[in-house]
């Protein structure tokens, strides 16, 4: 095993992955927006604050030509996020940093503007409920924000008064009349999101002398006052001419069910018109064509206990007629595509889609639906934007070899050039391989295998099987939360497989695992593990399994079905499916996926009596997707009913790492450090037979 440099703060670690403090300090790039003229590219970069207790984002400008060094264009203790270019090149963003014009007011997330020709950023508009996001039309002077209002508020002033009354009287109670009431880690209500148009307001004292840079005030016009809570999970796009906003709306159905319908919001009148509303189907808007006439639509079919969802693309004519007929787009292509941009000439749509351990950029011709893979590397692309001339495409790219970075893609050849970045790419230890096996039913099960450099027949590495969440997901992009190189730096090999239910391998690969979580995915995971431990550079006598969310569910299932592993780490995991189903934040979706009988057949808690492997249970109390009751019940039943129960002194080899104020992912930097340190401690003890110190902050 490699030594732990974090215990020697004065030394330079071999790589940032050999020291958690260095790892947490690596800058993190996210989001990308391009100015309408194609000359400015802006991203956000998150870095640790001075105390190392949270990440703060700032806006950085990148050179699309790749000639100039990246430069930081905002700086504050509160940070900045959500940049969006206006048609004239001004840059909007949101920030809760104090407004120098009103320093005595409590700061909230406000709408800010950084002028295209330079100068200091200024507040465009601030409101008591804050601003969530900003949207701007590409070809017109039209700006919009998404912001929350208290459901009973009559106008902005009334909303401010109501919020003040709740705050002054320390009222947090929420009276619900519909479902859902929670989302991931947020308690929903009494606020509801609305879409506002940002428009010129009236001067309080017209004609009063001021400097030449003085700007008139703006006001917000509520475009969606009557939509209730239907915008809470909305996907929203603005037409290039700024005249129409297309958005998904959550439609409430009988028995607390729901689905997404597609609506158009007329900016001039505020009229909301539902365009697509069909039983058994949800619809989401993609980008609008450059001529404003065609909308890309993504559909997703409802699931049933025997049928996995199907995701398809369509074209919808929105040029002014009454037709709602959808034109299929590349329906013969066996991938789940996410539409991201039109080419400027309107000839094709750019999409991303999971594909065999990558998520490339594809081009779909509108005329015939022909699909062409644009990027050739085994990387995952997000935040894709096309240059105004269509010659170049810009995106963020990541893989297991490097975190997200901005790149320029040649629109004709697919060649990729990395743009000068806000930070150097971190060097990771070890090497990465693509491996696969074939199961008894003839299915290929692929995986990534991250190996320490020393792994060989003479020095085989212990193996960690990492099971991804979802389960409709794929190991194909860099992750800060489950980063294999931190464990590779400790001497482990990390196996990242895509079993049945994983995306990027076609509809049949998803369907073969549908409704039987404990069967096909388990068989696939064991098959790929068998194949990898047969390698001479892997030590099959020292293995562990780990997973979070669905991966945690599967870790629990593995624990009850085999004792081949020395340790199991289960994070935010499903344990008793009959309990999980009605208590998760989105029961209306979950309860469609399995019948009650199927849920019981696939519930790990029924196998607790078979568990003889030490388990580390990790759960956050603010996790509403997999409620804390799952972790609490798992912990009690391990101590009371497994084959490693608590002894007469109440002790067992199992451990429970509990975070009272964390959610599904564990996001606070200091808690992330604790997470990895406790995992290292547990694995070292159970897999390697070594004693590693626990972090002092635990107080043990």
């Amino acid at each position: 095993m490699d030594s732990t440099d974090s215990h020697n703060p004065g030394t330079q670690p071999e790589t940032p992955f050999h020291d958690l403090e260095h790892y947490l300090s690596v800058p993190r790039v996210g989001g990308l927006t391009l100015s309408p003229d194609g000359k400015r590219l802006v991203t956000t970069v998150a870095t640790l604050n001075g105390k190392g207790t949270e990440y703060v984002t700032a806006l950085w400008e990148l050179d699309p030509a790749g000639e100039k060094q990246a430069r930081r264009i905002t700086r504050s203790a509160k940070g900045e996020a959500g940049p969006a270019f206006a048609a004239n090149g001004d840059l909007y963003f949101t920030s809760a940093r104090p407004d120098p014009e009103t320093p005595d007011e409590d700061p909230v997330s406000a709408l800010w503007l950084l002028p295209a020709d330079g100068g200091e950023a200024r507040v465009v508009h601030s409101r008591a409920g804050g601003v969530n996001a900003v949207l701007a039309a590409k070809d017109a002077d039209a700006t919009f924000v998404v912001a929350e209002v208290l459901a009973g508020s009559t106008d902005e002033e009334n909303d401010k008064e109501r919020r003040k009354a709740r705050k002054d009287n320390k009222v947090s109670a929420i009276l619900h009349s519909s479902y859902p009431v929670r989302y991931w880690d947020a308690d929903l209500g009494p606020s509801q999101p609305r879409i506002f148009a940002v428009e010129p307001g009236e001067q309080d004292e017209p004609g009063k002398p001021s400097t030449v840079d003085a700007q008139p005030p703006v006001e917000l016009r509520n475009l969606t006052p009557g939509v209730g809570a239907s915008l809470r999970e909305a996907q929203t796009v603005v037409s290039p001419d700024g005249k129409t906003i297309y958005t998904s709306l959550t439609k409430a159905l009988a028995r607390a069910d729901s689905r997404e319908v597609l609506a158009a919001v007329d900016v001039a009148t505020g009229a909301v018109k539902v365009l697509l509303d069909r039983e058994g189907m949800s619809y989401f808007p993609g980008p609008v064509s450059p001529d404003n006439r065609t909308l890309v639509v993504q559909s997703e079919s409802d699931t049933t206990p025997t049928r996995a969802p199907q995701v398809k693309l369509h074209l919808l004519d929105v040029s002014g007629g009454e037709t709602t007929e959808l034109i299929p787009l590349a329906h013969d292509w066996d991938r789940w595509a996410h539409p991201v941009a039109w080419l400027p000439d309107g000839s094709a749509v750019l999409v991303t889609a999971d594909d065999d351990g990558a998520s490339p950029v594809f081009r779909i011709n509108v005329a015939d639906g022909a699909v062409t893979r644009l990027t050739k590397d085994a990387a995952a692309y997000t935040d894709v934007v096309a240059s105004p001339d269509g010659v170049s495409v810009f995106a963020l790219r990541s893989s297991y070899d490097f975190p997200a970075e901005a790149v320029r893609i040649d629109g004709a050849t697919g060649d990729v050039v990395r743009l000068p970045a806000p930070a150097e790419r971190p060097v990771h230890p070890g090497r990465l391989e693509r491996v696969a096996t074939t199961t008894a039913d003839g299915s290929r099960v692929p995986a990534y295998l991250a190996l320490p450099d020393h792994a060989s027949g003479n020095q085989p590495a212990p193996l960690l099987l990492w099971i991804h969440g979802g389960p409709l997901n794929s190991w194909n992009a860099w992750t800060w939360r489950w980063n294999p190189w931190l464990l590779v730096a400790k001497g482990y090999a990390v196996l990242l497989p895509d079993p049945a239910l994983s995306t990027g391998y076609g509809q049949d690969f998803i369907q073969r695992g549908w409704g039987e979580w404990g069967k096909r995915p388990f068989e696939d995971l064991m098959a790929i593990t068998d194949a990898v431990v047969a390698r001479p550079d892997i030590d099959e006598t020292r293995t562990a399994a780990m997973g979070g969310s669905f991966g945690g569910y599967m870790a629990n299932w593995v624990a009850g079905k085999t004792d081949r592993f020395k340790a199991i780490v289960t994070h935010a995991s499903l344990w008793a499916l009959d309990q999980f189903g009605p208590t998760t934040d989105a029961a209306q979706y979950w309860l469609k996926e399995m019948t009650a009988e199927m849920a019981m057949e696939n519930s790990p808690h029924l196998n607790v009596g078979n568990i003889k492997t030490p388990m580390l249970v990790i759960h956050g109390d603010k996790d509403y997707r997999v409620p804390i009751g799952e972790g609490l019940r798992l912990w009690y039943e391990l101590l009371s009913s497994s084959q490693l129960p608590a002894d007469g002194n109440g002790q067992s080899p199992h451990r429970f790492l509990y975070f009272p104020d964390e959610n599904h992912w564990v996001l606070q930097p200091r808690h992330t450090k604790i997470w990895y340190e406790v995992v290292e401690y547990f694995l070292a003890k159970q897999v390697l037979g070594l004693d590693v110190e626990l972090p002092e902050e635990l107080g043990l």
Side-chain angles (χ1 to χ4, degrees):
M1 290 291 291
D2 294 349
S3 61
T4 305
D5 291 322
S6 58
H7 297 303
N8 301 290
T11 64
Q12 174 70 33
E14 182 180 336
T15 74
F17 303 90
H18 286 79
D19 187 307
L20 282 168
E21 295 289 354
H22 282 246
Y23 171 74
L24 292 172
S25 297
V26 177
R28 305 178 177 191
V29 175
L32 200 64
T33 185
L34 181 69
S35 62
D37 62 8
K39 296 180 179 180
R40 301 178 64 198
L41 197 60
V42 171
T43 188
T44 63
V45 180
T47 54
L48 277 179
N49 65 3
K51 296 181 179 180
T53 56
E54 63 179 342
Y55 288 99
V56 179
T57 60
L59 305 188
W60 283 70
E61 184 169 335
L62 312 176
D63 178 16
E67 299 172 356
K68 300 177 182 177
Q69 180 58 50
R71 66 186 184 97
R72 185 171 181 166
I73 57 176
T74 64
R75 188 183 301 271
S76 73
K78 292 292 185 179
E80 299 80 27
F85 276 105
N88 67 355
D90 288 345
L91 183 65
Y92 289 97
F93 61 90
T94 61
S95 178
R97 66 191 196 183
D99 181 1
E101 301 295 329
T102 56
D104 297 330
E105 292 188 6
D106 293 334
V108 294
S109 181
L111 177 65
W112 289 70
L113 182 145
L114 192 60
D117 54 0
E120 288 281 349
R122 64 175 180 85
V123 172
V124 175
H125 189 77
S126 182
R127 58 186 300 276
V131 173
N132 296 353
V134 55
L135 308 167
K138 185 177 181 180
D139 300 331
D141 181 16
T143 306
F144 311 92
V145 297
V146 178
E148 297 202 348
V149 302
L150 295 176
S153 298
T154 57
D155 55 30
E156 285 288 88
E157 187 59 33
N158 182 243
D159 190 68
K160 181 177 180 180
E161 294 170 356
R162 287 169 178 258
R163 291 180 182 278
K164 185 176 186 304
R166 282 180 65 87
K167 180 180 179 180
D168 291 348
N169 291 292
K170 301 187 184 303
V171 173
S172 60
I174 303 168
L175 177 63
H176 291 284
S177 58
S178 62
Y179 189 85
V181 300
R182 307 198 295 184
Y183 185 66
W184 286 114
D185 61 351
D187 295 299
L188 300 181
S191 291
Q192 299 174 344
R194 300 286 186 267
I195 301 172
F196 294 86
V198 181
E199 299 179 338
E202 295 184 1
Q203 289 278 12
D204 291 335
E205 300 179 66
K208 187 175 181 180
S210 63
T211 59
V212 295
D213 68 337
Q215 297 292 323
V218 302
E219 61 183 23
L220 301 184
R221 178 166 59 94
N222 192 341
L223 298 176
T224 55
V227 298
S230 63
L231 282 167
R232 277 178 173 158
E233 299 179 49
Q235 296 182 23
T236 304
V237 299
V238 178
S239 62
D241 62 10
K243 295 180 179 180
T244 311
I245 297 172
Y246 299 97
T247 185
S248 58
L249 297 175
T250 302
K251 180 178 181 177
L253 304 174
R255 300 183 181 276
D257 198 2
S258 64
R259 56 184 166 81
E260 299 296 310
V261 302
L262 181 70
V265 182
D266 184 88
V267 172
T269 65
V272 179
K273 179 182 179 181
V274 174
L275 303 178
L276 296 172
D277 178 2
R278 298 175 187 173
E279 184 177 354
M281 196 72 68
S282 288
Y283 297 101
F284 307 92
V288 185
S289 61
D291 64 4
N292 301 285
R293 299 176 62 86
T294 307
L295 175 70
V296 181
V297 176
Q298 184 188 60
S299 68
E300 180 176 340
S301 62
D302 282 356
T303 64
T304 73
T306 58
R307 186 183 65 210
Q310 294 197 28
V311 177
K312 298 291 185 181
L313 293 185
H314 317 261
L315 299 176
L316 179 64
D317 184 349
V318 292
S319 59
E322 294 299 317
T323 179
T324 58
E325 180 181 354
L326 290 171
I327 301 173
L329 183 62
H331 279 203
D332 292 335
W333 185 35
D334 196 13
R335 292 294 182 267
W336 288 3
H338 175 66
V340 289
W342 284 80
L343 290 185
D345 63 3
S347 64
V349 176
L350 299 177
V351 306
T352 59
D354 289 349
D355 185 61
D356 198 5
S359 187
V361 179
F362 297 87
R363 182 177 57 244
I364 304 179
N365 289 340
V366 171
D368 59 7
V371 179
T372 303
R373 180 168 174 166
L374 186 58
T375 57
K376 309 300 191 294
D377 54 352
Y381 289 81
T382 63
D383 301 276
V384 180
V385 291
S387 65
D389 57 11
V391 172
S392 299
V393 176
F394 301 94
L396 294 185
R397 174 186 67 171
S398 78
S399 75
Y400 282 106
D401 276 325
F402 48 84
E405 59 188 24
V407 297
R408 185 180 67 250
I409 307 164
D410 187 295
T413 66
D415 293 340
V416 180
V417 175
R418 181 175 180 244
L419 298 177
E424 292 300 317
R425 180 189 289 183
V427 177
H428 65 71
R431 62 188 189 273
L432 188 69
E433 296 182 13
R434 187 73 168 157
V435 298
T437 193
T438 302
T439 63
D441 69 353
S443 297
R444 170 177 169 265
V445 180
Y448 284 107
L449 179 63
L451 291 153
D453 288 322
H454 65 69
S456 64
N458 295 326
Q459 194 177 358
L463 179 71
L464 304 179
L465 167 65
W466 280 18
I467 311 168
H468 69 61
L472 303 177
N473 203 352
S474 172
W475 288 119
N476 60 25
W478 184 273
T479 168
W480 294 104
R481 275 296 304 122
W482 283 72
N483 193 287
W485 301 116
L486 289 169
L487 277 302
V488 170
K490 304 302 178 186
Y492 296 96
V494 179
L495 178 63
L496 305 159
D498 278 348
L501 294 173
S502 297
T503 52
Y505 307 94
Q507 191 72 26
D508 289 345
F509 197 77
I510 295 170
Q511 187 64 48
R512 65 188 285 269
W514 195 255
E516 46 182 27
W517 285 9
K519 183 175 174 58
R520 289 295 187 193
F522 173 73
E523 292 172 354
D524 288 359
L525 290 168
M526 294 305 99
I528 190 65
T529 302
D530 288 341
V532 170
V533 297
R535 294 167 52 121
D537 54 1
I538 299 297
D539 185 350
E540 65 176 335
T541 68
R542 298 187 296 170
T543 62
M546 300 172 56
S549 194
F550 169 79
Y553 157 86
M554 189 52 67
N556 295 339
W557 186 266
V558 167
K561 290 295 183 178
T562 178
D563 61 357
R564 69 182 294 171
F565 298 103
K566 297 291 186 182
I568 302 284
V569 178
T570 181
H571 171 96
S573 65
L574 290 68
W575 174 241
L577 296 190
D578 60 332
Q579 170 183 276
F580 164 79
T583 59
T584 180
D585 62 345
Q588 77 276 22
Y589 295 112
W590 160 254
L591 294 175
K592 295 177 186 177
E593 293 195 14
M594 292 187 187
T595 64
E597 294 75 19
M598 293 166 67
M600 290 306 291
E601 290 174 4
N602 289 275
S603 189
H605 82 284
L606 297 179
N607 302 318
V608 65
N610 299 329
I611 295 178
K612 59 179 67 174
T613 304
M615 296 186 69
L616 170 60
V617 180
I618 308 175
H619 222 111
D621 204 284
K622 291 288 288 181
D623 185 350
Y624 296 162
R625 181 54 48 98
V626 183
I628 185 60
E630 297 298 298
L632 294 175
R633 182 170 173 178
L634 168 57
W635 178 239
Y636 172 74
E637 292 184 352
L638 285 175
L639 297 188
S640 63
S641 305
S642 74
Q643 293 193 31
L644 295 172
D647 61 20
N649 295 317
Q651 300 300 303
S652 86
H654 304 303
R655 295 291 183 270
F656 183 15
L657 179 59
Y658 168 67
F659 293 99
D661 56 350
E662 287 287 1
N663 59 19
H664 196 61
W665 300 281
V666 182
L667 298 177
Q668 298 177 47
R670 308 323 295 174
H671 284 165
T672 297
K673 185 171 183 288
I674 293 291
W675 192 97
Y676 278 111
E677 287 175 330
V678 172
V679 167
E680 181 195 351
Y681 152 82
F682 187 74
L683 293 175
K685 186 176 185 65
Q686 302 300 336
V687 178
L688 307 177
L690 300 176
D691 288 326
V692 171
E693 292 182 9
L694 284 167
E696 293 182 357
E697 295 91 334
L698 289 174
L700 300 176

